[in-house]
Structures are given as C-alpha cells and as structure tokens.
Amino acid sequence: MLFRSGSVVTGSLVEMGTVGTIHSWTTLSAAGAPSEFALRAPLLGGITSALVDLHSGPRGVFLMVDDEDCPLDFGIKVELVVRRIYAQEGFIRYGRKARVVQS
C-alpha cells in the first residue's frame, strides 16, 4: 500500500528498471526551453527529451544527458541515471535522465 498526500494509493508497484530503448525524441530550441533551463539551454544547443521504452515494461519521458556527440535514432539503447534537473528558488531538483549506452 502506498500513501500520498493523506490518501491511500492502491494497486501493485511496477519496477521501472534502468535500461531501455528510444521510441521517439524531440529537441526544444534554446528559445523554447522552459524558464528553469533558460541559462543552460543556449549552451547545450537546446534541451532534448526522449520517450523511452524501458525493458522492464513501462514507458516514460526523460531528459537526455551527455548526448552532444551521440546522434539519436530510434531503438538506441539508453540507461537511466540520477542527475541534477535544475535549481530554482533555492532548491536543487534531482531526477532520472536518459544517457546513451556506448557499446
């Protein structure tokens, strides 16, 4: 049983896993990036997010990391890593990002 904000969430847990493949992706230009990425987006040439089919079953959208020299394509293998997402209002937010697995 899971608890969230005073309410009970029922159902079974699904393990997310850490490895998957890219189903689709998009890159926001520096001008189109959300405000929390306004300082970094121009340096990175935009912000790339990918729809990832995890090998454990679920599918999710993750920001890409360390992808400057890795052209993305359908079916590329990625792993999920914990990285800093952004800092805003004195708080640093961390979360999972996708990184291309070098073979």
Side-chain angles (χ1 to χ4, degrees), residues 13-25:
L13 295 176
V14 176
E15 184 164 330
M16 196 162 83
T18 59
V19 178
T21 55
I22 291 180
H23 182 80
S24 182
W25 73 95

Side-chain angles (χ1 to χ4, degrees), residues 5-54:
S5 301
S7 62
V8 176
V9 178
T10 60
S12 60
L13 295 176
V14 176
E15 184 164 330
M16 196 162 83
T18 59
V19 178
T21 55
I22 291 180
H23 182 80
S24 182
W25 73 95
T26 188
T27 300
L28 292 174
S29 70
S35 63
E36 57 267 24
F37 301 106
L39 295 175
R40 292 180 34 217
L43 300 173
L44 300 173
I47 301 291
T48 301
S49 59
L51 178 59
V52 177
D53 291 323
L54 295 168

Side-chain angles (χ1 to χ4, degrees), residues 60-71:
V61 176
F62 302 92
L63 289 172
M64 293 297 299
V65 64
D66 301 338
D67 62 330
E68 298 84 19
D69 298 325
C70 301

Side-chain angles (χ1 to χ4, degrees), residues 76-96:
I76 288 180
K77 187 175 179 180
V78 295
E79 63 183 347
L80 299 182
V81 294
V82 175
R83 292 286 179 90
R84 177 178 146 163
I85 298 176
Y86 61 88
Q88 191 175 42
E89 299 176 4
F91 291 98
I92 298 175
R93 285 149 174 95
Y94 291 87
R96 288 187 168 192

